[in-house]
Structures are given as C-alpha cells and as structure tokens.
Amino acid sequence: MKIIMLGAPGAGKGTQAKKIAAKYEIPHISTGDIFRANIKEGTELGKKAKTYMDQGLLVPDELVVDLVVDRVNQEDCKNGYVLDGFPRTIPQAEALAELGQKMDYAIDVDVPDENIIHRMGGRRACVGCGATYHLEYAPTKVEGICDACGKELILRDDDKPETVKKRLNVYHEQTQPLIDYYTNAGILKTVDGTVDIDVVFQNIVEILGA
Ligand code: ADP
Ligand code: AMP
C-alpha cells in the first residue's frame, strides 16, 4: 500500500504515519526527519536545508525530489510505504507521478489553523531519536525525557510561534493545492484531525482496511 499524508504542519501527519507504518508493516518516510538527520550529521544537504527550514520556508524541490526517489526505490519499499511531508508542492507530486508507482491513498489530516498554533507550541521532539510528543496530548512518562531512548526533549526552532505562522502561510500557498491535485487523481481521503490521536487512527484504518 502506497500512502501520502497531507495536512498543515502540526496536523498530525507524523503521529499517524508512524501508526500506519507499524500496523501495515511498511516504511515511514519523513522528509523532515531525513533533513533533521542530515543537519545533525552536518552533511552538505543538511547545511543547505537548514537555511530554509529555520525561516519556515520549503527546501527547494531539486534538493528533495532525488532523495525521495532514491528512498522509494529501495528494496524495503517494494510492498509500499507511507510518505510524510512529501510531496509538498505540485512539481514534487508530478515528480512522484513520473516514477510510475501508483499511489493508493492521499490522506488529508484536516486541522484548522487556530488549533495548529496551539499544537506546535506544545510539541516536543527528542534530541536523540527524533520521536515527537505533546505536553498535553501525547505526554512522556517522565517530563522532558524521551520514552523511547531516554534523551532530552526540546521545542524545535521551527515550532516557535513566528515560524509556525510563516509555515502555515507557506502551506496554504504551496501545499494546499495538492488537495485538488489528489482529488482529481481520485485518491484523496479526508479525516478530521482535531479529535483524539487514537480516534484519528481508527478513522484512517477504516479507509485503508483492517
Ligand atoms: P506533523 O507531522 O503533521 O507536523 P505531528 O504528528 O508532529 O504533526 O503532530 C504535531 C503535534 O500535535 C505533536 O506534538 C503531536 O503529539 C500532537 N498531535 C498529533 N495528533 C494530535 C491529535 N489528534 N490531537 C492532539 N494532539 C495531536
Ligand atoms: P516537517 O518535519 O515535515 O514539518 O518538515 C520540516 C521542514 O523541512 C519543513 O518546514 C521544510 O522546510 C522542510 N521540508 C520537509 N519536507 C519537505 C518537502 N517535501 N519539500 C520542501 N521542504 C520540506
């Protein structure tokens, strides 16, 4: 099963993509995670990506497309994958279509802008493994410490309120047009992303099939 997660930054794409990947035993491919890993390792790609990410802007298509093409052509993606944070522009969607791999579902996790600002302020990310939590909605067992690896949690620089507003504008201008694109392709499914994490997931499972 090949699945695309759509939605504003902070809508819950990553949260749901991880649950989908675990249930359906397919790789979770997050371009944001790939960039953050590159930043941590100090690679050239990481250095270039960081300048855009810190400003709340999208990384240019030419830096994103090739890495996703390489990733989805790997052996473990044969039976499918869940793409989280890609595509984010029409040219990226066209590049994906050109690969000739038929996507089964584009799931739009729908959350109004008002909720997003609050969500992002409470999101915490692990400095070690990148796992994400929420102070209120998905807390860790011990405050400030990652359940998975025991490292420290931080507020991502790009989750600070001013950057979130910028990212939301960028989302509406450059990414939201993908909703029409995948509606026209006949694979768009919308779920209400404002309800509990487990309820959102149940609704996704109803779409994908148990
Ligand atoms: P995205 O990958 O779309 O940027 P995340 O999955 O990281 O978003 O979710 C953003 C924040 O909101 C995280 O802190 C996450 O724990 C929290 N979150 C995700 N889904 C929900 C939900 N349905 N209700 C409340 N909080 C949620
Ligand atoms: P995310 O973790 O998905 O919220 O992504 C964090 C940041 O990485 C985004 O705000 C962008 O700057 C960059 N990014 C991730 N995926 C893409 C993409 N497909 N195209 C362009 N930029 C991306």
Side-chain angles (χ1 to χ4, degrees), residues 9 13 30-33 35-36 52-53 56-61 64 84-88 92 123 156 158 167:
K13 299 181 296 296
S30 156
T31 41
D33 284 353
F35 288 135
R36 281 183 290 275
Y52 298 95
M53 291 168 74
L57 299 173
L58 295 185
V59 174
D61 291 336
V64 188
D84 161 18
F86 183 93
R88 258 181 160 104
Q92 290 180 16
R123 173 156 69 177
R156 267 167 49 181
D158 61 346
R167 292 171 70 195

Side-chain angles (χ1 to χ4, degrees), residues 1-6 12-29 79-84 104-109 189 191 197-198 200-210:
M1 197 149 43
K2 299 192 173 88
I3 303 164
I4 295 163
M5 301 304 292
L6 293 177
K13 299 181 296 296
T15 301
Q16 299 301 328
K18 283 184 195 118
K19 290 168 97 59
I20 294 170
K23 179 171 172 67
Y24 297 94
E25 298 181 348
I26 50 177
H28 166 212
I29 303 173
N79 295 324
Y81 44 81
V82 51
L83 289 175
D84 161 18
D104 297 296
Y105 298 100
I107 300 175
D108 177 34
V109 184
K189 303 281 175 188
V191 291
I197 291 173
D198 289 336
V200 179
F201 186 58
Q202 274 169 23
N203 294 336
I204 290 177
V205 170
E206 264 173 38
I207 293 166
L208 303 180

Side-chain angles (χ1 to χ4, degrees), residues 58-74:
L58 295 185
V59 174
D61 291 336
E62 57 272 25
L63 295 181
V64 188
V65 168
D66 288 352
L67 75 88
V68 175
V69 170
D70 284 350
R71 183 65 191 90
V72 299
N73 280 324
Q74 284 169 21

Side-chain angles (χ1 to χ4, degrees), residues 115-143:
N115 303 35
I116 295 286
I117 309 266
H118 177 63
R119 283 244 185 122
M120 303 291 253
R123 173 156 69 177
R124 292 293 178 273
C126 173
V127 293
C129 69
T132 46
Y133 300 93
H134 193 281
L135 291 179
E136 233 175 290
Y137 309 121
T140 46
K141 294 194 183 84
V142 180
E143 204 185 317

